[in-house]
PDB file of all heavy atoms in Angstrom:
ATOM      1  N   TYR O  13      75.153 -18.266 110.720  1.00 96.00           N
ATOM      2  CA  TYR O  13      75.224 -17.249 111.760  1.00 96.00           C
ATOM      3  C   TYR O  13      74.313 -16.127 111.285  1.00 96.00           C
ATOM      4  O   TYR O  13      74.629 -15.482 110.286  1.00 96.00           O
ATOM      5  CB  TYR O  13      76.642 -16.727 111.951  1.00 96.00           C
ATOM      6  CG  TYR O  13      77.587 -17.759 112.535  1.00 96.00           C
ATOM      7  CD1 TYR O  13      78.584 -18.336 111.751  1.00 96.00           C
ATOM      8  CD2 TYR O  13      77.491 -18.146 113.864  1.00 96.00           C
ATOM      9  CE1 TYR O  13      79.461 -19.272 112.283  1.00 96.00           C
ATOM     10  CE2 TYR O  13      78.357 -19.089 114.406  1.00 96.00           C
ATOM     11  CZ  TYR O  13      79.341 -19.642 113.608  1.00 96.00           C
ATOM     12  OH  TYR O  13      80.196 -20.573 114.132  1.00 96.00           O
ATOM     13  N   THR O  16      73.777 -15.468 107.450  1.00 96.00           N
ATOM     14  CA  THR O  16      74.911 -15.941 106.647  1.00 96.00           C
ATOM     15  C   THR O  16      75.117 -17.434 106.835  1.00 96.00           C
ATOM     16  O   THR O  16      75.358 -17.907 107.949  1.00 96.00           O
ATOM     17  CB  THR O  16      76.200 -15.215 107.062  1.00 96.00           C
ATOM     18  OG1 THR O  16      75.915 -13.824 107.161  1.00 96.00           O
ATOM     19  CG2 THR O  16      77.307 -15.452 106.062  1.00 96.00           C
ATOM     20  N   VAL O  18      77.373 -20.438 106.594  1.00 98.00           N
ATOM     21  CA  VAL O  18      78.826 -20.638 106.496  1.00 98.00           C
ATOM     22  C   VAL O  18      79.196 -22.092 106.207  1.00 98.00           C
ATOM     23  O   VAL O  18      80.288 -22.379 105.742  1.00 98.00           O
ATOM     24  CB  VAL O  18      79.571 -20.121 107.746  1.00 98.00           C
ATOM     25  CG1 VAL O  18      79.308 -18.634 107.934  1.00 98.00           C
ATOM     26  CG2 VAL O  18      79.209 -20.898 108.996  1.00 98.00           C
ATOM     27  N   VAL O  19      78.270 -23.031 106.462  1.00 98.00           N
ATOM     28  CA  VAL O  19      78.440 -24.415 106.019  1.00 98.00           C
ATOM     29  C   VAL O  19      77.170 -24.785 105.273  1.00 98.00           C
ATOM     30  O   VAL O  19      76.063 -24.649 105.802  1.00 98.00           O
ATOM     31  CB  VAL O  19      78.695 -25.384 107.198  1.00 98.00           C
ATOM     32  CG1 VAL O  19      78.698 -26.830 106.715  1.00 98.00           C
ATOM     33  CG2 VAL O  19      80.008 -25.058 107.891  1.00 98.00           C
ATOM     34  N   GLY O  36      91.237 -26.078 103.363  1.00 97.00           N
ATOM     35  CA  GLY O  36      90.651 -25.010 102.563  1.00 97.00           C
ATOM     36  C   GLY O  36      91.117 -23.667 103.099  1.00 97.00           C
ATOM     37  O   GLY O  36      91.674 -23.590 104.192  1.00 97.00           O
ATOM     38  N   PRO O  37      90.855 -22.604 102.333  1.00 96.00           N
ATOM     39  CA  PRO O  37      91.331 -21.286 102.726  1.00 96.00           C
ATOM     40  C   PRO O  37      90.632 -20.768 103.977  1.00 96.00           C
ATOM     41  O   PRO O  37      89.558 -21.255 104.356  1.00 96.00           O
ATOM     42  CB  PRO O  37      90.995 -20.405 101.513  1.00 96.00           C
ATOM     43  CG  PRO O  37      89.920 -21.124 100.791  1.00 96.00           C
ATOM     44  CD  PRO O  37      90.128 -22.584 101.055  1.00 96.00           C
ATOM     45  N   SER O  38      91.236 -19.795 104.581  1.00 95.00           N
ATOM     46  CA  SER O  38      90.688 -19.178 105.779  1.00 95.00           C
ATOM     47  C   SER O  38      89.247 -18.714 105.524  1.00 95.00           C
ATOM     48  O   SER O  38      88.935 -18.150 104.483  1.00 95.00           O
ATOM     49  CB  SER O  38      91.580 -17.989 106.145  1.00 95.00           C
ATOM     50  OG  SER O  38      91.036 -17.328 107.240  1.00 95.00           O
ATOM     51  N   GLY O  39      88.357 -19.008 106.470  1.00 96.00           N
ATOM     52  CA  GLY O  39      86.974 -18.558 106.366  1.00 96.00           C
ATOM     53  C   GLY O  39      86.047 -19.485 105.605  1.00 96.00           C
ATOM     54  O   GLY O  39      84.856 -19.191 105.456  1.00 96.00           O
ATOM     55  N   CYS O  40      86.540 -20.655 105.139  1.00 98.00           N
ATOM     56  CA  CYS O  40      85.694 -21.523 104.301  1.00 98.00           C
ATOM     57  C   CYS O  40      84.761 -22.412 105.126  1.00 98.00           C
ATOM     58  O   CYS O  40      83.921 -23.103 104.564  1.00 98.00           O
ATOM     59  CB  CYS O  40      86.546 -22.368 103.363  1.00 98.00           C
ATOM     60  SG  CYS O  40      87.455 -23.673 104.191  1.00 98.00           S
ATOM     61  N   GLY O  41      84.917 -22.420 106.452  1.00 98.00           N
ATOM     62  CA  GLY O  41      83.983 -23.191 107.282  1.00 98.00           C
ATOM     63  C   GLY O  41      84.571 -24.418 107.959  1.00 98.00           C
ATOM     64  O   GLY O  41      83.831 -25.195 108.565  1.00 98.00           O
ATOM     65  N   LYS O  42      85.883 -24.586 107.885  1.00 98.00           N
ATOM     66  CA  LYS O  42      86.518 -25.774 108.463  1.00 98.00           C
ATOM     67  C   LYS O  42      86.321 -25.850 109.975  1.00 98.00           C
ATOM     68  O   LYS O  42      85.902 -26.859 110.518  1.00 98.00           O
ATOM     69  CB  LYS O  42      88.041 -25.755 108.188  1.00 98.00           C
ATOM     70  CG  LYS O  42      88.429 -25.566 106.746  1.00 98.00           C
ATOM     71  CD  LYS O  42      89.939 -25.577 106.571  1.00 98.00           C
ATOM     72  CE  LYS O  42      90.680 -24.429 107.234  1.00 98.00           C
ATOM     73  NZ  LYS O  42      90.375 -23.105 106.646  1.00 98.00           N
ATOM     74  N   SER O  43      86.660 -24.737 110.617  1.00 97.00           N
ATOM     75  CA  SER O  43      86.618 -24.700 112.073  1.00 97.00           C
ATOM     76  C   SER O  43      85.185 -24.894 112.577  1.00 97.00           C
ATOM     77  O   SER O  43      84.944 -25.618 113.556  1.00 97.00           O
ATOM     78  CB  SER O  43      87.176 -23.357 112.530  1.00 97.00           C
ATOM     79  OG  SER O  43      87.570 -23.430 113.838  1.00 97.00           O
ATOM     80  N   THR O  44      84.252 -24.268 111.904  1.00 98.00           N
ATOM     81  CA  THR O  44      82.841 -24.418 112.266  1.00 98.00           C
ATOM     82  C   THR O  44      82.424 -25.882 112.162  1.00 98.00           C
ATOM     83  O   THR O  44      81.721 -26.405 113.032  1.00 98.00           O
ATOM     84  CB  THR O  44      81.967 -23.543 111.347  1.00 98.00           C
ATOM     85  OG1 THR O  44      82.419 -22.192 111.448  1.00 98.00           O
ATOM     86  CG2 THR O  44      80.507 -23.623 111.726  1.00 98.00           C
ATOM     87  N   THR O  45      82.878 -26.545 111.099  1.00 98.00           N
ATOM     88  CA  THR O  45      82.555 -27.960 110.911  1.00 98.00           C
ATOM     89  C   THR O  45      83.099 -28.799 112.068  1.00 98.00           C
ATOM     90  O   THR O  45      82.399 -29.635 112.641  1.00 98.00           O
ATOM     91  CB  THR O  45      83.116 -28.447 109.558  1.00 98.00           C
ATOM     92  OG1 THR O  45      82.527 -27.655 108.522  1.00 98.00           O
ATOM     93  CG2 THR O  45      82.829 -29.905 109.316  1.00 98.00           C
ATOM     94  N   GLU O  53      79.250 -25.888 118.587  1.00 97.00           N
ATOM     95  CA  GLU O  53      78.356 -25.055 117.770  1.00 97.00           C
ATOM     96  C   GLU O  53      77.074 -25.834 117.523  1.00 97.00           C
ATOM     97  O   GLU O  53      77.123 -27.032 117.248  1.00 97.00           O
ATOM     98  CB  GLU O  53      78.976 -24.740 116.398  1.00 97.00           C
ATOM     99  CG  GLU O  53      80.247 -23.941 116.425  1.00 97.00           C
ATOM    100  CD  GLU O  53      80.038 -22.477 116.794  1.00 97.00           C
ATOM    101  OE1 GLU O  53      78.872 -22.018 116.842  1.00 97.00           O
ATOM    102  OE2 GLU O  53      81.052 -21.807 117.035  1.00 97.00           O
ATOM    103  N   ASP O 158      92.309 -28.471 115.615  1.00 96.00           N
ATOM    104  CA  ASP O 158      92.044 -27.254 114.844  1.00 96.00           C
ATOM    105  C   ASP O 158      93.335 -26.465 114.659  1.00 96.00           C
ATOM    106  O   ASP O 158      93.779 -25.796 115.591  1.00 96.00           O
ATOM    107  CB  ASP O 158      91.003 -26.401 115.585  1.00 96.00           C
ATOM    108  CG  ASP O 158      90.452 -25.288 114.697  1.00 96.00           C
ATOM    109  OD1 ASP O 158      90.979 -25.086 113.581  1.00 96.00           O
ATOM    110  OD2 ASP O 158      89.496 -24.623 115.131  1.00 96.00           O
ATOM    111  N   GLU O 159      93.937 -26.589 113.479  1.00 93.00           N
ATOM    112  CA  GLU O 159      95.209 -25.905 113.196  1.00 93.00           C
ATOM    113  C   GLU O 159      96.197 -26.075 114.353  1.00 93.00           C
ATOM    114  O   GLU O 159      96.751 -25.092 114.857  1.00 93.00           O
ATOM    115  CB  GLU O 159      94.965 -24.397 112.963  1.00 93.00           C
ATOM    116  CG  GLU O 159      94.005 -24.089 111.835  1.00 93.00           C
ATOM    117  CD  GLU O 159      94.694 -23.865 110.496  1.00 93.00           C
ATOM    118  OE1 GLU O 159      95.921 -24.133 110.386  1.00 93.00           O
ATOM    119  OE2 GLU O 159      94.009 -23.441 109.551  1.00 93.00           O
ATOM    120  N   VAL O 190      91.898 -29.961 111.109  1.00 98.00           N
ATOM    121  CA  VAL O 190      91.675 -28.759 110.300  1.00 98.00           C
ATOM    122  C   VAL O 190      92.990 -28.072 110.000  1.00 98.00           C
ATOM    123  O   VAL O 190      93.794 -27.830 110.908  1.00 98.00           O
ATOM    124  CB  VAL O 190      90.752 -27.780 111.063  1.00 98.00           C
ATOM    125  CG1 VAL O 190      90.820 -26.386 110.448  1.00 98.00           C
ATOM    126  CG2 VAL O 190      89.320 -28.289 111.070  1.00 98.00           C
TER     127      VAL O 190
HETATM  128  P1  ADP H   1      87.820 -21.514 108.748  1.00 56.59           P
HETATM  129  O1  ADP H   1      87.997 -22.410 109.921  1.00 56.59           O
HETATM  130  O2  ADP H   1      87.746 -22.253 107.461  1.00 56.59           O
HETATM  131  O3  ADP H   1      88.823 -20.402 108.700  1.00 56.59           O
HETATM  132  P2  ADP H   1      85.391 -20.719 110.103  1.00 56.59           P
HETATM  133  O4  ADP H   1      84.613 -21.954 110.184  1.00 56.59           O
HETATM  134  O5  ADP H   1      86.130 -20.253 111.306  1.00 56.59           O
HETATM  135  O6  ADP H   1      86.391 -20.830 108.867  1.00 56.59           O
HETATM  136  O7  ADP H   1      84.436 -19.538 109.637  1.00 56.59           O
HETATM  137  C1  ADP H   1      83.544 -19.671 108.548  1.00 56.59           C
HETATM  138  C2  ADP H   1      82.810 -18.371 108.369  1.00 56.59           C
HETATM  139  O8  ADP H   1      81.951 -18.173 109.470  1.00 56.59           O
HETATM  140  C3  ADP H   1      83.699 -17.140 108.287  1.00 56.59           C
HETATM  141  O9  ADP H   1      83.189 -16.294 107.320  1.00 56.59           O
HETATM  142  C4  ADP H   1      83.583 -16.547 109.662  1.00 56.59           C
HETATM  143  O10 ADP H   1      83.774 -15.168 109.611  1.00 56.59           O
HETATM  144  C5  ADP H   1      82.175 -16.924 110.063  1.00 56.59           C
HETATM  145  N1  ADP H   1      81.999 -17.070 111.525  1.00 56.59           N
HETATM  146  C6  ADP H   1      82.670 -17.924 112.313  1.00 56.59           C
HETATM  147  N2  ADP H   1      82.251 -17.826 113.593  1.00 56.59           N
HETATM  148  C7  ADP H   1      81.289 -16.877 113.598  1.00 56.59           C
HETATM  149  C8  ADP H   1      80.452 -16.312 114.611  1.00 56.59           C
HETATM  150  N3  ADP H   1      80.525 -16.713 115.892  1.00 56.59           N
HETATM  151  N4  ADP H   1      79.571 -15.364 114.244  1.00 56.59           N
HETATM  152  C9  ADP H   1      79.478 -14.967 112.958  1.00 56.59           C
HETATM  153  N5  ADP H   1      80.217 -15.467 111.966  1.00 56.59           N
HETATM  154  C10 ADP H   1      81.121 -16.395 112.272  1.00 56.59           C
END
Side-chain angles (χ1 to χ4, degrees):
Y13 292 109
T16 314
V18 300
V19 173
S38 176
C40 72
K42 307 181 295 294
S43 200
T44 303
T45 301
E53 297 287 350
D158 193 352
E159 302 267 10
V190 164

